[in-house]
Amino acid sequence: MKIPEGLNYTQDHEWGKIDNRTMRIGITDYAQGELGDIVFVEFMEKGTQVAKGESFGTVESVKAVSEIYAPVSGTILEVNETLAETPELVNQDCYGDAWMVVIEMEDPSEADSLMDAEAYAEFLSAEAK
Amino acid sequence: MSYLCQTDEDLKTILDTIGIDSAQEVFSSIPVTLKYTDRLDIPGPLDEEFLRKTLAGRPSEGGFAGGGIYRHHIPALVDAVASRQEFLTAYTPYQPEISQGTLQGIFEYQSMMASLTGMEVSNASMYDGATALAEAALMASRLKGIRRIIVTRTTHPAYRAVLRTYLQNIRDLELVEIPFDPDTGRTDLRSLEEAVGEDAAFFVQQPNYFGIVEPMEKIAEISSKTGFWGMVITEAISLGIMKRPGSYDPDVVVGEAQSFGNPVCAGGPLLGFFCVNKNHVRRMPGRVVGMTKDHNGRDAFCLTLATREQHIRREKATSNICSNQGLCALRSALYLSAMGPKGLRTVASQCASGARYLMAALKDKGIQPLFGAPFFHEFVMKMDEKKRLALKDLGIIAGIPIAADYPELPDAVLITVTEMNTKEDLRCLLENL
């Protein structure tokens, strides 16, 4: 299972990549593996304000529909439109082409509470027990 | 015993196989003197409904009550197939491993409803038309920015009552009713125009509760200014003769399909239908059966898009309806297969012409209908209660009184004519009025 360095992770299995005041967000390798074949994704529109921990979209697999939660508060700047047509990208490249949204952070210090790769790996193994 | 029909082609194949030219040749060994050569003195064939009446030896029951639940001809085939033990269960079995018949029945029902309404997708059915409307309103209310549900006052009163119940505890959602024009019985377009907006979801019943045909072209144009709009069809038979709802481009078409092969039986069981286009398929309540391939590549049927139902999504489910009206939906698929497009159209036009015949006869007697606009197979007239009850004593249900739901229309009675009303029924009503 891939847990790249340099990303921030949440307990709900989202990753975030910080670039100045923005954060690019997607779901982790663990999340896509647990969900199975992903058939549909849906996100809130550009310009929507979301609060940390609030759902900004859903990922639907053949097994279930799951919410995706914002790791930080902010405004949705970009939405990955290609996922509407090719949701299976989430299974193939969850940390790359299958990024989901970019959020302009309201308060970048919120990201401090997120886990780094090592902490997330520990969190996953604790969860498994 | 199964009934197998024989086409001319079948007969020819049989004759060719045994090497003779006509069926009569089979009997050529019987001496001519022993053959009966006259025509048998038996009456000609009867249609199914008349045959049933003749054998039962009693006049038709029912009369002229409609208003959302309708008495129509049900081909014997519907009962014969639907009462097979594989179908007649108290619970709809959905497991694809053991329920291909049930699932295919639902799939065929969905395909027929989608084609009749002109929409892309139908769900596996709902409890009844009223809950289908209420679920459509809930679906609209989950869309961003919808604050008001607008419904025409010419929508079935029971449907509006169910809608009120469903919506009463939803915060920040207002239910608005659009009045009707007292002369035509149609929805008042100016009021509608003033009410619509992007924050509203709008529903219109066609034909409306008074049987009147609403001016759909104009209503569709006004509806395009809403955030979401839908059509409500309480008499599915009307789909056989009227323009497809889907051609007006609504977001949803819901209604009641009891008329398709389900009897009038103490108010039920009913059969709600729910159709949308693909863009809304993930917001649609209820179940959907899809066609797929099994392990060996054969066509197979199974539930699809079930991930948004309550057993998976819990409180975030699109609705709490995880069942359907399996047997009633099957009956309606059987009905439609037996009648075919031509048969459905014939039933619809017989209803419409019967109602016109009755209205003309009433006008001849000096009785005027309450509304002037074109209608399908129902219309409203005034009839004082005494007269209505006197007719009831004679065994004629002259229609259903609607003044309790519309206090502005005292003594109003809704009269329905279907293909089941014979000329004799009409004469009986007219003579005793």
Side-chain angles (χ1 to χ4, degrees):
Chain A
M1 191 192 315
K2 281 181 270 177
I3 307 178
E5 296 288 335
L7 299 181
N8 299 278
Y9 297 91
T10 69
Q11 298 194 351
D12 298 312
H13 312 288
E14 289 93 13
W15 58 261
K17 187 175 186 199
I18 298 171
D19 181 10
N20 286 325
R21 285 191 70 88
T22 66
M23 180 184 274
R24 187 171 296 256
I25 296 161
I27 63 170
T28 64
D29 193 22
Y30 172 81
Q32 70 79 18
E34 286 296 300
L35 283 165
D37 291 342
I38 286 161
V39 293
F40 183 74
V41 293
E42 191 174 36
F43 310 118
M44 285 181 173
E45 288 167 27
K46 257 189 244 179
T48 312
Q49 289 203 338
V50 290
K52 182 180 176 178
E54 200 178 75
S55 161
F56 68 84
T58 54
V59 177
E60 178 177 337
S61 73
V62 291
K63 282 196 278 186
V65 177
S66 304
E67 308 287 323
I68 321 156
Y69 301 98
V72 290
S73 307
T75 308
I76 298 180
L77 277 189
E78 279 181 71
V79 170
N80 189 351
E81 308 283 356
T82 55
L83 293 184
E85 293 298 319
T86 50
E88 63 275 14
L89 264 184
V90 180
N91 293 117
Q92 295 157 6
D93 190 12
C94 65
Y95 295 113
D97 287 347
W99 62 274
M100 291 177 173
V101 296
V102 174
I103 285 182
E104 174 161 38
M105 292 186 278
E106 218 170 80
D107 173 10
S109 72
E110 270 185 351
D112 296 345
S113 62
L114 300 173
M115 292 176 275
D116 61 14
E118 194 184 338
Y120 181 59
E122 260 170 50
F123 170 74
L124 284 184
S125 58
E127 282 258 287
K129 285 171 198 162
Chain B
M1 194 177 82
S2 42
Y3 172 77
L4 301 170
C5 71
Q6 224 168 26
T7 64
D8 288 343
E9 215 170 297
D10 292 336
L11 268 181
K12 198 179 167 307
T13 311
I14 294 169
L15 295 174
D16 287 350
T17 306
I18 59 176
I20 55 174
D21 290 331
S22 85
Q24 285 308 315
E25 280 185 43
V26 176
F27 308 109
S28 57
S29 59
I30 301 171
V32 178
T33 48
L34 293 177
K35 274 188 186 165
Y36 183 77
T37 50
D38 285 348
R39 278 187 73 84
L40 283 177
D41 185 21
I42 52 170
L46 300 175
D47 70 65
E48 195 179 327
E49 212 48 63
F50 195 78
L51 177 68
R52 223 180 271 168
K53 266 180 210 165
T54 309
L55 292 176
R58 56 187 149 83
S60 69
E61 322 115 22
F64 301 87
I69 301 182
Y70 302 97
R71 199 165 55 100
H72 289 290
H73 165 63
I74 300 175
L77 176 143
V78 174
D79 280 329
V81 177
S83 59
R84 288 185 62 101
Q85 59 166 358
E86 297 94 326
F87 290 124
L88 197 61
T89 71
Y91 192 81
T92 311
Y94 295 108
Q95 303 92 306
E97 299 85 349
I98 58 161
S99 305
Q100 284 301 303
T102 295
L103 291 168
Q104 183 174 1
I106 296 172
F107 182 83
E108 304 295 353
Y109 159 85
Q110 290 172 182
S111 308
M112 289 176 192
M113 290 315 295
S115 143
L116 275 175
T117 55
M119 301 297 277
E120 288 172 342
V121 186
S122 161
N123 77 5
S125 73
M126 314 285 287
Y127 298 133
D128 56 31
T131 50
L133 169 60
E135 288 285 344
L138 287 183
M139 175 176 146
S141 75
R142 286 188 296 265
L143 294 173
K144 217 174 134 190
I146 298 291
R147 297 269 176 280
R148 293 179 300 145
I149 303 291
I150 303 175
V151 65
T152 59
R153 202 170 137 67
T154 53
T155 298
H156 196 301
Y159 284 45
R160 284 183 285 130
V162 171
L163 198 55
R164 272 195 294 279
T165 306
Y166 262 62
L167 302 183
Q168 64 187 347
N169 291 318
I170 297 182
R171 237 189 301 160
D172 303 327
L173 193 66
E174 191 190 353
L175 182 60
V176 182
E177 291 191 356
I178 303 294
F180 59 87
D181 179 330
D183 295 325
T184 61
R186 289 177 148 180
T187 292
D188 183 65
L189 295 184
R190 190 174 295 175
S191 306
L192 177 61
E193 206 136 11
E194 283 167 12
V196 293
E198 280 299 323
D199 68 330
F202 168 62
F203 297 95
V204 56
Q205 178 180 326
Q206 173 78 326
N208 73 27
Y209 185 63
F210 304 139
I212 301 286
V213 175
E214 296 276 11
M216 273 318 296
E217 302 282 347
K218 280 185 199 148
I219 288 180
E221 197 186 309
I222 300 172
S223 301
S224 64
K225 293 168 199 149
T226 60
F228 182 98
W229 77 284
M231 286 176 70
V232 182
I233 313 288
T234 62
E235 167 57 305
I237 292 292
S238 69
L239 295 170
I241 203 170
M242 292 181 60
K243 205 168 161 187
R244 274 186 198 161
S247 65
Y248 300 106
D249 205 20
D251 292 292
V252 64
V253 180
V254 294
E256 177 58 57
Q258 166 270 330
S259 288
F260 292 164
N262 288 284
V264 173
C265 182
L270 299 175
L271 171 62
F273 67 86
F274 200 114
C275 300
V276 297
N277 283 335
K278 277 184 189 152
N279 58 333
H280 285 307
V281 75
R282 288 187 153 81
R283 297 184 183 90
M284 179 173 69
R287 339 207 80 173
V288 186
V289 173
M291 189 162 92
T292 182
K293 298 277 182 205
D294 73 0
H295 188 66
N296 298 317
R298 294 172 302 190
D299 286 341
F301 301 90
C302 68
L303 287 183
T304 184
L305 290 169
T307 45
R308 279 154 204 271
E309 292 186 34
Q310 64 177 1
H311 59 286
I312 293 178
R313 278 214 100 191
R314 307 282 165 170
E315 81 283 4
K316 291 196 172 74
T318 42
S319 100
N320 291 312
I321 294 187
C322 274
S323 188
N324 77 328
Q325 290 283 70
L327 194 67
C328 297
L330 173 72
R331 290 184 67 97
S332 94
L334 291 167
Y335 173 86
L336 290 169
S337 331
M339 302 301 282
K342 226 176 177 179
L344 184 61
R345 176 174 282 264
T346 306
V347 169
S349 68
Q350 278 182 8
C351 291
S353 55
R356 272 151 190 75
Y357 176 90
L358 180 61
M359 186 189 268
L362 287 169
K363 280 182 175 167
D364 283 347
K365 295 187 75 154
I367 304 168
Q368 292 298 324
L370 232 47
F371 304 118
F375 60 101
F376 173 47
H377 71 352
E378 290 175 282
F379 55 87
V380 179
M381 56 175 278
K382 272 192 173 187
M383 189 188 299
D384 68 61
E385 202 181 340
K386 247 193 214 158
K387 190 166 267 173
R388 193 173 57 78
L389 293 176
L391 281 164
K392 203 175 165 193
D393 286 341
L394 291 169
I396 304 167
I397 301 172
I400 54 176
I402 60 168
D405 294 310
Y406 297 94
E408 67 271 45
L409 307 173
D411 291 333
V413 171
L414 179 64
I415 297 175
T416 307
V417 181
T418 75
E419 82 283 13
M420 297 291 274
N421 293 113
T422 58
K423 270 214 168 123
E424 183 62 20
D425 293 350
L426 299 177
R427 193 187 54 77
C428 196
L429 175 70
L430 287 165
E431 268 176 14
N432 290 290
L433 262 182

